[in-house]
Amino acid sequence: MAPRPRRRRLTRTLLAVLVTASVAVPVSGAARPAAVPAPAPTALGPLRDTTPTALARRYATTRADIRAAERTADAHGDHRRAAALHAMADPGRHFLTFDGRDGGRSTEVYGDLARADHIAVLVPGSDTGLDTYHRLRAGARALQQRLRREPGGHFAVIAWLGYPTPATFGPAALTTARADDAAPQLVDFIKQLRNADPTARIALLCHSYGSVVCGRAAPDLPATDLVLYGSPGVGADTAADLHTRATVWAGRAADDWIGHVPHAQLPLPTTTLGFGTDPVSPGFGARIFPAGDGGHSDYLKPGTLSLENLARITAGRPPVAAPHGTTPDATAAAPQREARRG
């Protein structure tokens, strides 16, 4: 347990950041992505059937919804949103769900979900929405391309943008409120995946604030692996407190600024400020995977150690100490070294 003076300093730091964010964000956030109108999407039932025919019908329905949202955004004069939606409506792309309202929600598949026996679900963090979706897409594509080189198995990657992510420097990014709202929706989606394919290996790859969402959802997630990377904490003191049967992994790159975030929690009347124990600390108890020297947004970049190990974990193989190394770190008992400010 941290000494009392240190805990008081952490609490003061969290409060100072919250006050600063609550003042700065309304001033700088005049153009809100949520303000762009969009029509209600077609009502789709739960994902029960992942045969090629059923998926093709679902993909066609969501494509029509994306095109309708594009027309609405264009008529509204938001040509940036319209351009992003135009790219998403490409016939070569496959969405299980789409809703353009309130900043946007979507679930996109990379790879052949009908044949997949290994599925990676990306749960993104702050500042991810339809206007910035290209960043999430780039990471999903990089992971899918890396998984193609895995021996044996059939792999699919799913980019789950199922909640309104907070702004990085906004007050919502410092509390569990968004995660509390998002967790039931993540659980529902993963249960649909599990019911559609009871034998698939499902790995949740949870980045930044997305790891808070995964932490809140953990007890009810029928997943094989729960991977926390670039995480500020998950609202739990230890991996055991997540009450999950999934293997819990954690990794942080050396130049990720998230390593300098205070690891404390302060209960407030309606939510909790801060996210508690550092997931890569020895006391948390996760299996640590080497994540290289990148920054907070570099984990899924091609050629990185972090991408290599996220792919290996998805495939059910132990992580390695170097991008092209052969020495496994199966137990990964030692945490990553503390992040440097880049």
Side-chain angles (χ1 to χ4, degrees):
M1 180 178 295
R4 288 184 181 276
R6 182 170 179 268
R7 292 180 68 86
R8 285 197 291 268
R9 286 197 300 272
L10 290 174
T11 299
R12 287 197 297 268
T13 301
L14 286 170
L15 288 172
V17 173
L18 177 63
V19 171
T20 301
S22 65
V23 172
V25 170
V27 173
S28 62
R32 296 185 303 110
V36 183
T42 303
L44 292 171
L47 179 68
R48 294 192 177 96
D49 188 350
T50 56
T51 62
T53 300
L55 288 174
R57 286 197 299 265
R58 196 174 186 102
Y59 295 155
T61 299
T62 54
R63 188 172 301 116
D65 288 338
I66 295 169
R67 286 173 175 159
E70 176 193 349
R71 292 191 294 271
T72 302
D74 193 53
H76 182 68
D78 194 317
H79 303 302
R80 180 188 180 194
R81 172 67 61 83
L85 292 169
H86 183 79
M88 294 173 79
D90 185 278
R93 298 179 65 174
H94 303 123
F95 288 84
L96 293 171
T97 65
F98 174 82
D99 187 344
R101 299 171 298 176
D102 190 27
R105 315 280 191 282
S106 66
T107 308
E108 186 172 11
V109 176
Y110 300 81
D112 188 352
L113 185 59
R115 299 180 64 208
D117 49 24
H118 293 72
I119 303 170
V121 179
L122 299 180
V123 182
S126 57
D127 287 322
T128 307
L130 296 184
D131 295 333
T132 58
Y133 186 81
H134 61 279
R135 299 197 299 253
L136 178 59
R137 171 171 165 76
R141 292 182 68 189
L143 179 59
Q144 176 61 17
Q145 288 167 5
R146 169 59 189 81
L147 285 169
R148 288 175 183 164
R149 303 200 305 270
E150 278 296 308
H154 301 283
F155 298 90
V157 175
I158 296 177
W160 184 82
L161 179 57
Y163 74 110
T165 66
T168 299
F169 298 108
L174 300 175
T175 77
T176 60
R178 294 280 180 98
D180 291 334
D181 291 340
Q185 298 171 68
L186 178 60
V187 168
D188 182 60
F189 175 67
I190 300 302
K191 284 184 175 179
Q192 290 179 43
L193 270 185
R194 175 58 70 208
N195 290 336
D197 191 345
T199 63
R201 183 183 184 95
I202 301 175
L204 269 76
L205 310 185
C206 315
H207 178 238
S208 193
Y209 191 87
S211 67
V212 186
V213 177
C214 289
R216 296 317 237 196
D220 300 312
L221 288 172
T224 312
D225 296 282
L226 189 65
V227 187
L228 316 171
Y229 60 105
S231 174
V234 295
D237 290 332
T238 67
D241 291 335
L242 294 175
H243 302 292
T244 177
R245 286 182 285 184
T247 300
V248 180
W249 299 85
R252 186 170 64 226
D255 285 330
D256 188 345
W257 58 263
I258 206 77
H260 299 282
V261 170
H263 293 286
Q265 284 186 296
L266 177 64
L268 298 177
T270 59
T271 187
T272 300
L273 179 63
F275 308 112
T277 306
D278 186 347
V280 301
S281 66
F284 187 75
R287 291 191 178 188
I288 305 302
F289 67 93
D293 297 323
H296 189 64
S297 301
D298 297 335
Y299 289 92
L300 293 173
K301 284 190 175 180
T304 58
L305 177 59
S306 50
L307 178 65
E308 174 70 22
N309 282 332
L310 289 169
R312 291 176 68 94
I313 292 169
T314 298
R317 296 206 293 151
V320 294
H324 304 292
T326 57
T327 302
D329 184 14
T331 56
Q336 289 284 84
R337 60 192 175 96
E338 283 299 310
R340 302 190 305 269
R341 189 178 298 276

